[in-house]
Amino acid sequence: MEDRIRLEELYGRNVFTLSKMKERLPKSVYRNVLEVMQGGGELSRADADVVAKAMKDWAMENGATHYTHWFQPLTGITAEKHDAFVASPDEDGHMVTAFTGKDLIKGEPDASSFPSGGLRSTFEARGYTAWDITSPAFLKEAGTGVTLCIPTAFCSYKGEALDKKTPLLRSMEAINTQALRILRLFGDTEARRVTTSTGAEQEYFLVDKDKALKREDLIFTGRTLFGAPAPKGQEMEDHYFGVIRERVGEFMKDLNVELWKLGVPAKTQHNEVAPAQHELAPIYENANLATDHNQLVMEAMKRVADHHNLRCLLHEKPFAGVNGSGKHNNWSLTADTGENLLDPGDSPERNIRFLLVLSCVLKAVDTHADLLRQSASDVGNDLRLGANEAPPAIVSVFLGEQLEDVVKQLVETGSADSHTEGGVLRTGVSTLPDINKDATDRNRTSPFAFTGNKFEFRMVGSSDSMAGSTTTLNTIVAEAFCDAADRLEKADNFELAVHDLIKENLTEHQRIIFDGNGYSEVWVQEAARRGLPNIPSMIEAAPALTTDKSVRLFEKFGIFTKVELLSREEIIYETYAKTINIEALTMIDMAAKQIIPACMKYERDLANTIIAVKTAGAVFGAEAEKLQHIADKIDEAQEALDALRALEEQAGKIEQEKERAFFYKDRVLPAMAALRSPCDILEQIVDKASWPFPTYEDLMFEV
Ligand code: ADP
Ligand code: MG
């Protein structure tokens, strides 16, 4: 093949990797960089200058003209402001390039237009971006040319986090500290660091760009707001893992090349359940890097789709009636000795340590189910969670038959000694079974499932950042580790104490374990009986951020201050109201200017036909009935449209953010549904040629 892809040559080509630094930096500087990367602290200004020079040289050798501090404000997407590598020309008029250590370390974008939830008023617009040395700089090739991107954190003048990366990094510190305490208790003196790893399975839809551009809803909201179901949906189950169509395959090929160049370990690709839906999964990495990389994946998907005259839809629910898109957050904890704390292992000590870790995760998830639910909420995900497909809105944990059995025995008898063929494991007090890590089955309906050596959090929405859910997971588990370590470090008899603690954690929090069908009504009732929260929407989940329990948790580990939490809650209401507002306005526009006029035209043609035929002497029955039906539905649509307009006007007058958000949820959303319904019926009865924009059929089956 001509354009053969040379994977080894491509991989990481556009990344300023450690090996490139090693090649280009003086030994001592390289050593200092490594030290800061692994142990924290700050690079000296002199060293930063040297690194900046090497970075600039490398970038310019590869065609870069600009650099940018690349950051992740609370809009959920990434932000960048490009600066060219130019300084003022010298006396001879030659261009002088410039990029110093200061440029590398600190940026000062005018921050007033990013969401801050009241943290920063416009007159205090100062925000700072600070170099995140743990995530490598990379070159982005796009329409603007080649740009050196420097991953950064984004903070206010007073040091409050204005982004998603800062709390994530803080939470990784917290869980590192607490997990090391657990390792020490079990005699591990070697491990120096415990890192969160994540792998983000990313679902998405691809549709034809020309068709997408004919729909205002796709342009403005990323999802369809009208649309009758196509004759065929996903009921044949012929798309999942099906043969990838040529056009989509070519997109995937180019996407992989882009990602590999950026050092993103894209690994798995396949068709998903819904027509036109696909998935990409990379190999898991350090959670900070994985979060940055997931942002790059989403960006690259959109960019590459464009090159193929396609549109990539990352919305959680682009089409009603077929599956929506999620992002599974596969989460684990690994020590720098290579040990995965979620791996049951095969020695008794590890087995007990694993059971302690497991019991702590269960405690964390049960205690903070509301926060975990909150961490996976965004506006689009409201259409997905609990809507009979993706995980329900109720948080529960799936352990698999074998582990669940172990837990049950421990809770009931204080010991677990069945299936111990591989040898009885003694804790000194009781016997514990050897855990065979492959014995877990799968349960696709579970929002939080143990899958062998990691947990898979399946609630996260496809367009969301990985940062929020990972930050919450890290923090709640850090707290459970901390509680455990506080107690065990003081224990006279460690073996007894650890046994008691495992039993206590499991007993108190076993209600969070559920292995049945998470989609069923029975589970909704059972969960209510168990007292598990069932929070249906993003704005109902938001208050979880600022409960006393939450403030205590996040302040204890230095993740968020109360002020930061309050600001984030505020942003949620603001974002929600703005998003639904745009959706409602888009519907009004489409119904008023496209759907109703098109239907009226068809109605008139039909009426004229009937008159003509009658005049000619023929008798009509069915056609007249159809005309009446159309007239009724147009009338219904017009009424619903007027009602929606009136509500929109009312919403605009509400000043308080939270009140406005709830008004959108409780009043505007039902009015939008009331407008959609007659329009979707009209789509099914009027002539296809007169329908003003591409239908579900055109979009999902003709890519
Ligand atoms: P599936 O969930 O479909 O079975 P895999 O088990 O292959 O798929 O993994 C899905 C994702 O989980 C991938 O991104 C993979 O890299 C990631 N993953 C695998 N092992 C771990 C781990 N120990 N920690 C974090 N993520 C992991
Ligand atoms: Mg998975």
Side-chain angles (χ1 to χ4, degrees):
M1 241 165 49
E2 242 185 309
D3 52 341
R4 215 174 102 199
I5 296 169
R6 296 178 193 280
L7 185 46
E8 328 79 81
E9 282 168 34
L10 276 179
Y11 198 83
R13 186 200 279 174
N14 286 354
V15 186
F16 197 55
T17 52
L18 277 180
S19 68
K20 291 192 186 95
M21 279 202 227
K22 194 170 178 186
E23 238 173 70
R24 287 167 180 265
L25 294 175
K27 264 207 179 71
S28 63
V29 178
Y30 178 68
R31 225 181 11 246
N32 294 343
V33 169
L34 273 189
E35 233 164 68
V36 175
M37 259 181 204
Q38 285 155 6
E42 251 178 72
L43 212 55
S44 75
R45 195 48 160 279
D47 282 353
D49 279 334
V50 177
V51 176
K53 166 92 173 49
M55 219 184 247
K56 184 194 73 180
D57 290 348
W58 167 76
M60 294 189 69
E61 280 162 31
N62 286 284
T65 54
H66 290 71
Y67 70 91
T68 182
H69 276 200
W70 185 75
F71 60 105
Q72 302 173 29
L74 296 169
T75 51
I77 51 174
T78 59
E80 49 193 70
K81 179 187 92 183
H82 299 180
D83 279 301
F85 286 116
V86 294
S88 39
D90 65 13
E91 283 151 18
D92 305 328
H94 293 129
M95 224 275 291
V96 181
T97 61
F99 180 63
T100 63
K102 184 167 166 279
D103 298 327
L104 170 63
I105 290 176
K106 199 176 108 183
E108 207 178 310
D110 178 356
S112 55
S113 297
F114 292 106
S116 77
L119 272 185
R120 202 181 1 70
S121 42
T122 26
F123 58 86
E124 289 176 338
R126 247 181 243 268
Y128 292 100
T129 49
W131 180 30
D132 170 17
I133 196 170
T134 59
S135 182
F138 57 90
L139 298 176
K140 190 148 90 182
E141 298 167 316
T144 46
V146 181
T147 304
L148 170 68
C149 297
I150 301 147
T152 55
F154 181 43
C155 294
S156 78
Y157 184 64
K158 294 186 187 121
E160 290 134 342
L162 294 173
D163 69 347
K164 305 218 169 198
K165 186 188 267 283
T166 307
L168 173 65
L169 290 172
R170 291 173 183 166
S171 77
M172 288 179 72
E173 287 299 319
I175 200 157
N176 167 51
T177 308
Q178 302 307 325
L180 280 175
R181 290 175 71 195
I182 300 289
L183 289 182
R184 299 284 181 261
L185 282 166
F186 286 87
D188 183 337
T189 51
E190 265 176 61
R192 288 276 156 270
R193 192 155 192 93
V194 174
T195 313
T196 313
S197 304
T198 56
E201 296 166 66
Q202 176 72 48
E203 293 178 336
Y204 61 98
F205 280 81
L206 283 180
V207 296
D208 182 84
K209 184 175 157 190
D210 293 336
K211 287 181 190 150
L213 290 180
K214 293 199 173 100
R215 292 193 59 130
E216 275 183 50
D217 48 7
L218 288 180
I219 294 173
F220 294 128
T221 74
R223 73 166 173 121
T224 57
L225 297 164
F226 295 99
K232 180 182 171 190
Q234 61 193 39
E235 64 276 29
M236 300 301 286
E237 294 174 336
D238 53 355
H239 193 253
Y240 191 57
F241 285 10
V243 175
I244 296 166
R245 270 166 299 178
E246 278 301 276
R247 187 169 176 200
V248 173
E250 281 159 23
F251 158 85
M252 287 179 172
K253 183 175 129 192
D254 284 358
L255 176 64
N256 285 329
V257 168
E258 283 263 316
L259 293 175
W260 290 331
K261 281 201 269 183
L262 289 165
V264 178
K267 166 95 176 155
T268 311
Q269 60 197 23
H270 59 81
N271 286 351
E272 256 301 329
V273 173
Q277 192 186 27
H278 311 278
E279 178 180 308
L280 178 144
I283 294 171
Y284 66 99
E285 302 174 279
N286 164 308
N288 180 34
L289 196 57
T291 300
D292 284 356
H293 279 172
N294 180 251
Q295 292 287 353
L296 291 180
V297 166
M298 293 195 285
E299 264 183 62
M301 280 178 168
K302 290 188 196 160
R303 195 170 52 241
V304 175
D306 211 53
H307 297 162
H308 290 262
N309 207 39
L310 293 164
R311 250 298 142 111
C312 174
L313 306 178
L314 290 169
H315 194 282
E316 283 75 12
K317 194 78 180 173
F319 300 99
V322 296
N323 268 23
S325 298
K327 169 155 23 210
H328 294 176
N329 183 342
N330 292 272
W331 177 90
S332 67
L333 291 170
T334 322
D336 55 354
T337 49
E339 272 202 75
N340 177 352
L341 273 68
L342 292 172
D343 190 335
D346 41 30
S347 73
E349 302 79 31
R350 301 234 174 92
N351 217 330
I352 297 164
R353 193 187 73 196
F354 168 75
L355 284 175
L356 176 65
V357 168
L358 180 75
S359 78
C360 286
V361 174
L362 290 176
K363 172 178 166 171
V365 174
D366 184 31
T367 309
H368 298 293
D370 56 341
L371 278 177
L372 210 50
R373 163 69 181 90
Q374 189 285 320
S375 78
S377 61
D378 64 36
V379 190
N381 226 9
D382 276 7
L383 297 164
R384 182 177 163 258
L385 292 182
N388 254 344
E389 50 157 271
I394 306 163
V395 174
S396 67
V397 182
F398 173 78
L399 291 180
E401 216 175 297
Q402 192 189 23
L403 268 188
E404 213 172 302
D405 184 51
V406 172
V407 168
K408 203 165 146 231
Q409 290 182 55
L410 282 170
V411 169
E412 278 170 10
T413 66
S415 71
D417 49 20
S418 61
H419 31 76
T420 49
E421 285 115 69
V424 176
L425 310 175
R426 297 198 60 80
T427 63
V429 213
S430 69
T431 50
L432 293 169
D434 194 9
I435 296 160
N436 172 3
K437 66 172 179 172
D438 294 325
T440 57
D441 196 4
R442 303 245 154 186
N443 179 336
R444 294 280 169 202
T445 71
S446 176
F448 196 78
F450 182 68
T451 43
N453 63 0
K454 65 182 195 284
F455 275 99
E456 190 171 335
F457 185 35
R458 304 207 181 102
M459 275 180 147
V460 184
S462 49
S463 69
D464 209 352
S465 157
M466 287 286 280
S469 51
T470 308
T471 301
T472 300
L473 257 171
N474 287 348
T475 312
I476 64 178
V477 174
E479 182 189 52
F481 282 170
C482 179
D483 291 349
D486 284 349
R487 200 157 118 185
L488 296 176
E489 281 165 1
K490 282 192 285 226
D492 295 329
N493 183 333
F494 174 70
E495 291 189 340
L496 244 175
V498 77
H499 172 267
D500 287 350
L501 181 59
I502 292 172
K503 187 178 172 204
E504 186 182 306
N505 280 348
L506 295 179
T507 309
E508 278 175 23
H509 301 288
Q510 58 177 326
R511 65 172 186 166
I512 198 73
I513 302 170
F514 177 67
D515 71 348
N517 178 3
Y519 300 171
S520 70
E521 188 50 38
V522 180
W523 170 231
V524 174
Q525 286 156 19
E526 168 64 14
R529 198 188 55 74
R530 293 188 192 183
L532 300 177
N534 181 358
I535 308 173
S537 72
M538 168 183 180
I539 53 174
E540 284 158 293
L545 281 176
T546 50
T547 58
D548 290 346
K549 170 173 78 84
S550 166
V551 173
R552 228 179 303 123
L553 167 80
F554 285 119
E555 287 201 331
K556 176 169 181 181
F557 296 99
I559 315 298
F560 291 118
T561 61
K562 186 171 182 181
V563 173
E564 287 172 328
L565 288 167
L566 283 166
S567 80
R568 271 160 213 249
E569 185 185 348
E570 190 77 3
I571 290 169
I572 290 170
Y573 300 131
E574 209 179 296
T575 307
Y576 185 87
K578 282 182 185 164
T579 307
I580 308 293
N581 178 42
I582 294 170
E583 291 189 347
L585 293 178
T586 305
M587 284 190 90
I588 289 171
D589 217 52
M590 290 172 81
K593 296 191 193 147
Q594 294 187 290
I595 298 174
I596 295 177
C599 291
M600 282 169 64
K601 184 165 179 300
Y602 180 74
E603 184 187 33
R604 196 181 56 227
D605 291 348
L606 188 59
N608 286 338
T609 308
I610 292 175
I611 292 168
V613 174
K614 268 192 182 156
T615 317
V619 186
F620 256 114
E623 292 299 295
E625 240 170 68
K626 180 175 172 181
L627 180 63
Q628 187 59 55
H629 192 34
I630 290 172
D632 290 346
K633 288 297 155 191
I634 292 177
D635 204 37
E636 195 184 324
Q638 186 61 52
E639 260 177 41
L641 175 63
D642 294 340
L644 183 57
R645 273 192 175 126
L647 283 173
E648 265 297 309
E649 209 164 292
Q650 244 177 294
K653 291 185 189 133
I654 303 171
E655 271 171 29
Q656 216 254 337
E657 297 286 1
K658 184 172 180 177
E659 195 188 329
R660 187 163 62 234
F662 275 87
F663 185 87
Y664 273 103
K665 179 176 88 64
D666 297 330
R667 304 287 304 280
V668 177
L669 280 185
M672 285 162 61
L675 174 57
R676 176 173 184 152
S677 163
C679 293
D680 286 0
I681 292 173
L682 282 165
E683 188 198 316
Q684 288 169 304
I685 44 183
V686 307
D687 182 5
K688 177 158 170 82
S690 61
W691 199 249
F693 41 74
T695 63
Y696 274 24
E697 207 173 305
D698 305 328
L699 287 166
M700 277 193 279
F701 292 91
E702 293 174 19
V703 184

